[in-house]
């Protein structure tokens, strides 16, 4: 009978956990309660692991340079971009965006980019923070 | 709902699935059992049809790349490489050499992470959860590497028609080499934990056997075929991307154990050997990578215009971690969308080998046998037949009857003229 995993198991007893305890080392009774406490300054969040340089996160949009050519809408695989024909601008729905970054490549004015921001969870799909207009 | 007819019930008929805790994805097994032994096995796929091809026919080729990437949650690059290879053939786009190399590098990193994920799942099915945690902890390293190179852990978005979208620069090589060193050690550790362990040997040796002859008849692909001794690998047989320049061979279990038995244990051996092979391939690719452009047509708008004018049909293939993936694409001039898109996922070819593997084994062996071909059930399901709310399967006799009826109809309409 050989169990070659035993030395690995024993050595693991003396190692720290491999994962980053985010947002708190222990599971709080309620997550919203924890966030309220953080807002009041009573508790602190454990910071997430720093994002890698190339991470594709939330959209950024420069409304001033946009010329309303709608090329980004043509290549968006997720139909996450809506045209506003009256002002010749566009609107991005982050909840629908799959962060492929194809729109940033086709944009002739380079007014689109993907930032490293990745904490985009919300209860509401149409939350103000999940619609990028400017 | 009745999908198979048991003519002579030998003792007891049992169904496992479509949704069952032992199965990761929905599929149904219909088993004829006697005590604990399986006398006759059958399965019914088609429980998770998603209509991806239908969605693809309503999007232009650039949009379909990202849709194809989402066919499978694990093989992020597999389906997009197959799709763009088909489109590149139709539009006659020459991919730059550097782009070929980058595609191969990401493809090999994906193979490492997919095989480690599978090793963890297989250990979990055996009840060996310590090895499951070990394999998945090791896997985190390659996930971090892929995130560092491509910008995302799972859906890489690296592939573009006519090349790749992001470069792998010389400054990034040390980080890749660091991970490859880590995997050299991890391979030794995993091979020891999985292959020398008495529990794994007792559960997996001579369990779920697919003999060489059976494999020849059923045509499985990938590690399932190679574990039965069939020398078959798209990367070697029909080299594409950077593979033609590499020193690459078929990984069969006899390289490590000296014999081919075609059991679950051999499938573990093949996948571990392929992890080692992928580490060597990534090193070779980095060493030989030439300089040059990344895209044949850098401007996506120009590319879209060129694809609108392209017409024809082609097949694109890729050796996924689970075996050969094939995409058939047909484009017509003047249309942005593909007119036809057919996806054959690798598990489609491997499904049938379940039947000889399961027959004669015990019910308790089903989870590990089902997992041993690394099935990707949602990727494979392409058709679901539903009529008046009832699901059914067209049998060979029914298809024949429909065909005969059609001939009669045509004959009648001809004679009526």
């Amino acid at each position: 009978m050989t169990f070659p995993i035993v030395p690995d198991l024993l050595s693991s007893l003396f190692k720290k956990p491999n994962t980053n305890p985010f947002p708190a080392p222990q599971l709080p009774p309620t997550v919203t309660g924890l966030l309220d406490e953080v807002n009041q300054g009573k508790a602190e969040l454990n910071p997430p692991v720093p994002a890698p340089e190339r991470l594709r996160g939330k959209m950024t949009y420069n409304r001033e340079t946009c010329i309303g050519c709608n090329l980004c809408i043509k290549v968006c695989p997720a139909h996450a971009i809506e045209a506003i024909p009256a002002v010749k601008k566009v609107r991005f729905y982050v909840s629908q965006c799959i962060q492929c970054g194809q729109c940033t490549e086709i944009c002739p004015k380079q007014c689109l980019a993907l930032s490293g921001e990745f904490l985009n969870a919300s209860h509401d799909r149409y939350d103000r923070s999940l619609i990028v207009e400017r | 709902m009745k999908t198979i007819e048991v003519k002579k019930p030998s003792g007891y008929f049992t169904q496992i699935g479509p949704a069952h805790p032992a199965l990761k994805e929905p599929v149904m097994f219909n088993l004829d059992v006697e005590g604990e032994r399986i006398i006759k096995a059958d399965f019914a796929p088609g429980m998770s049809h998603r209509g991806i091809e239908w969605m693809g026919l309503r999007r232009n080729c650039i949009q379909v790349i990202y849709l194809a990437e989402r066919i499978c949650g694990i093989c992020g690059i597999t389906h997009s490489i197959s799709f763009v290879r088909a489109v590149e053939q139709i539009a006659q786009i020459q991919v730059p050499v550097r782009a070929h190399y980058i595609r191969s590098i990401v493809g090999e990193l994906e193979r490492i992470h997919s095989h480690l994920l599978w090793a963890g799942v297989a250990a979990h099915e055996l009840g060996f959860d310590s090895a499951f945690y070990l394999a998945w902890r090791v896997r985190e390293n390659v996930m971090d590497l892929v995130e560092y190179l491509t910008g995302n852990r799972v859906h890489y978005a690296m592939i573009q028609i006519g090349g790749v979208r992001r470069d792998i620069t010389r400054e990034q090589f040390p980080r890749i080499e660091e991970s490859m060193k880590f995997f050299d050690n991890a391979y030794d550790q995993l091979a020891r934990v999985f292959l020398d362990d008495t529990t794994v040997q007792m559960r997996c040796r001579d369990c779920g056997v697919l003999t060489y002859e059976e494999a020849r008849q059923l045509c499985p692909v990938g590690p399932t075929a190679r574990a039965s001794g069939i020398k078959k690998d798209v990367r070697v047989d029909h080299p594409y991307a950077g593979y033609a320049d590499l020193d690459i061979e078929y990984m069969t279990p006899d390289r490590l154990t000296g014999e081919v038995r075609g059991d679950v244990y051999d499938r573990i051996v093949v996948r571990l050997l392929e992890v080692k092979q992928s580490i060597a391939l990534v090193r070779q690719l980095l060493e030989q990578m030439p300089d040059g452009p990344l895209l044949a047509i850098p401007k996506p708008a120009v590319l879209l215009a060129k694809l609108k004018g392209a017409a024809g049909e082609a097949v694109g293939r890729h050796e996924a971690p689970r075996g050969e993936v094939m995409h058939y694409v047909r484009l017509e001039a003047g249309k942005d969308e593909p007119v036809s898109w057919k996806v054959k996922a690798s598990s489609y070819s491997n499904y049938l080998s379940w039947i000889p593997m399961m027959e004669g084994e015990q019910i308790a062996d089903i989870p590990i046998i089902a997992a041993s071909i690394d099935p990707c059930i949602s990727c494979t399901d392409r058709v679901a037949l539903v009529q008046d709310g009832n699901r059914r399967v067209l049998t060979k006799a029914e298809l024949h009857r429909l065909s005969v009826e059609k001939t009669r109809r045509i004959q009648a309409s001809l004679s009526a003229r």
Side-chain angles (χ1 to χ4, degrees):
Chain A
M1 299 285 266
T2 51
F3 299 106
I5 200 168
V6 173
D8 291 315
L9 285 182
L10 291 177
S11 68
S12 296
L13 284 175
F14 304 100
K15 284 183 191 157
K16 280 208 282 186
N18 219 34
T19 42
N20 178 35
F22 174 77
Q26 306 290 332
L27 182 70
T30 62
V31 177
T32 44
L34 174 77
L35 291 177
D36 285 343
E37 281 184 16
V38 169
N39 286 337
Q40 291 162 16
K42 283 182 195 164
E44 266 184 45
L45 285 185
N46 192 27
V49 179
E53 215 176 283
R54 288 187 176 188
L55 183 89
R56 302 190 301 275
K58 191 178 169 183
M59 280 314 302
T60 59
Y61 172 49
N62 187 339
R63 195 180 167 93
E64 273 64 55
T65 40
C66 176
I67 53 170
C69 65
N70 289 353
L71 274 174
C72 48
I73 297 177
K74 204 170 158 54
V75 292
C76 179
H79 304 315
I81 314 174
E82 186 187 27
I84 316 173
V87 285
K88 287 185 117 187
K89 301 287 169 192
V90 289
R91 181 183 289 143
F92 297 88
Y93 291 93
V94 178
S95 58
Q96 206 154 329
C97 172
I98 59 172
Q99 277 122 12
C100 65
Q102 188 62 62
C103 52
T104 63
E105 279 175 22
I106 203 165
C107 181
K109 290 284 168 190
Q110 277 90 44
C111 59
L112 303 171
L114 292 178
S115 67
E117 199 188 326
F118 59 92
L119 294 171
N120 299 323
S122 169
H123 291 292
D124 181 11
R125 195 176 270 256
Y126 300 107
D127 193 87
R128 296 290 300 166
S129 65
L130 295 185
I131 294 173
V132 177
E133 279 181 299
R134 58 192 69 250
Chain B
M1 187 165 78
K2 193 178 178 190
T3 48
I4 63 158
E5 281 177 0
V6 183
K7 281 178 190 130
K8 208 176 74 185
S10 60
Y12 202 73
F13 174 73
T14 183
Q15 284 190 331
I16 295 185
H20 191 277
L23 304 167
K24 298 279 171 293
E25 288 177 84
V27 66
M28 186 161 74
F29 290 106
N30 300 300
L31 307 164
D32 219 356
V33 291
E34 201 174 70
E36 282 289 313
R37 259 184 73 237
I38 301 163
I39 307 292
K40 199 167 165 293
D42 198 3
F43 64 93
M47 305 291 174
S48 54
H49 178 52
R50 295 174 295 171
I52 283 221
E53 285 164 340
W54 184 89
M55 286 165 79
L57 301 185
R58 275 140 193 88
R59 281 163 166 79
N60 64 43
C61 287
I62 291 186
Q63 291 171 313
V64 175
I65 301 172
Y66 305 102
L67 181 66
E69 220 170 40
R70 279 153 182 82
I71 292 175
C72 185
I74 299 165
C75 324
I77 205 166
T78 296
H79 290 280
S80 47
I81 284 195
S82 309
F83 176 77
V84 300
R85 282 192 71 214
V87 174
E88 280 155 8
Q89 284 174 50
I90 298 170
Q92 290 172 352
I93 298 170
Q94 276 286 333
V95 181
V97 187
R98 191 179 175 86
H100 273 320
Y101 272 68
I102 293 173
R103 282 181 186 183
S104 294
I105 291 174
V106 182
E108 290 311 311
L109 292 178
E110 178 177 279
R111 197 178 314 279
I112 296 176
H113 100 67
S114 174
H115 283 347
L116 290 177
L117 178 133
W118 176 83
V121 170
H124 174 70
E125 300 288 11
L126 292 174
F128 192 7
D129 274 2
S130 314
F132 160 58
Y133 286 116
L134 175 73
W136 281 40
R137 189 179 72 197
V138 170
R139 175 174 173 263
E140 274 308 299
N141 190 297
V142 73
M143 300 302 282
D144 287 347
L145 176 64
V146 165
E147 188 181 30
Y148 169 75
L149 291 175
T150 70
N152 213 334
R153 279 163 62 93
V154 178
H155 295 304
Y156 317 129
M158 272 298 254
I159 305 292
Q160 177 62 283
I161 296 164
V164 289
R165 292 175 56 205
R166 276 177 288 277
D167 197 5
I168 294 181
T169 57
R170 211 152 267 285
E171 292 79 61
Q172 291 174 317
F173 285 13
R175 171 72 182 82
I176 302 176
E177 182 50 37
E178 192 189 304
S179 275
M180 292 303 119
K181 279 207 188 93
F182 172 84
F183 279 109
D184 278 337
N185 295 328
Y187 167 77
D188 294 337
Q189 189 187 14
L190 286 171
R192 211 174 54 237
V193 165
F194 276 89
L195 303 180
D196 299 344
D197 192 279
T198 312
T199 325
V200 175
Q201 281 176 0
M202 283 192 311
R203 283 301 307 274
C204 300
R205 257 298 176 216
D206 299 319
C207 164
V209 177
L210 182 73
T211 62
Y212 181 80
E213 277 69 38
E214 282 165 346
R216 283 283 300 273
Q217 286 163 8
L218 295 171
C219 294
V221 292
T224 313
R226 291 193 282 275
S228 295
I230 292 188
K231 297 197 167 163
K232 183 170 174 183
D233 190 327
V234 185
R235 295 173 295 168
V236 189
D237 301 334
H238 305 274
Y240 59 96
Y243 294 113
D245 305 343
L246 302 181
D247 180 21
I248 173 173
E249 279 178 79
Y250 308 100
M251 282 295 147
T252 44
D254 51 331
R255 284 172 177 271
L256 194 75
T257 57
E259 55 177 347
V260 177
R261 293 208 212 168
D263 50 11
V264 174
Y265 189 83
D266 274 358
R267 274 165 234 138
I268 302 179
V269 172
V270 166
R271 290 203 171 87
L272 285 174
L273 282 174
E274 285 190 19
V275 169
K276 199 181 181 186
Q277 183 190 35
S278 292
I279 299 168
L281 289 180
V282 169
R283 285 198 169 121
Q284 283 183 45
L285 284 160
L286 289 179
E287 217 169 86
Q288 300 177 16
M289 192 153 76
D291 289 328
L294 296 178
L295 284 165
I297 304 167
K299 287 203 158 70
V302 181
L303 179 65
L304 270 182
K306 185 176 169 75
L307 291 174
K308 198 165 185 174
E313 55 182 357
V315 166
R317 301 202 287 168
H318 171 66
E319 179 76 16
R322 293 165 173 76
E324 180 193 12
V325 162
M326 198 176 82
H327 280 227
Y328 165 81
V329 182
R330 192 151 69 88
L331 299 180
E332 266 175 25
K335 273 192 179 166
D336 276 333
E337 305 86 15
V339 184
S340 178
W341 180 33
K342 167 78 193 146
V343 180
K344 193 226 70 159
S346 27
S347 297
Y348 180 81
S349 309
N350 289 337
Y351 270 176
L352 280 174
S353 44
W354 267 336
I355 294 173
M357 281 179 197
M358 282 187 185
E359 284 176 1
E361 301 292 346
Q362 291 192 341
I363 293 177
D365 291 324
I366 292 171
I368 183 65
I369 294 175
S372 75
I373 68 160
D374 203 0
C376 218
I377 288 154
S378 307
C379 317
T380 307
D381 281 350
R382 290 278 90 82
V383 175
L385 266 176
V386 181
Q387 194 174 31
D388 308 327
N390 293 319
R391 228 184 130 264
R392 61 196 192 92
V393 173
L394 280 177
T395 60
K396 193 180 161 195
E398 262 182 289
L399 276 173
H400 182 72
R401 183 178 54 78
L402 285 174
S403 176
V404 171
E405 277 173 11
K406 182 168 182 182
T407 313
R408 298 265 155 77
R409 264 204 318 277
I410 293 171
Q411 277 174 344
S413 66
L414 276 180
S415 57
R417 263 183 218 169

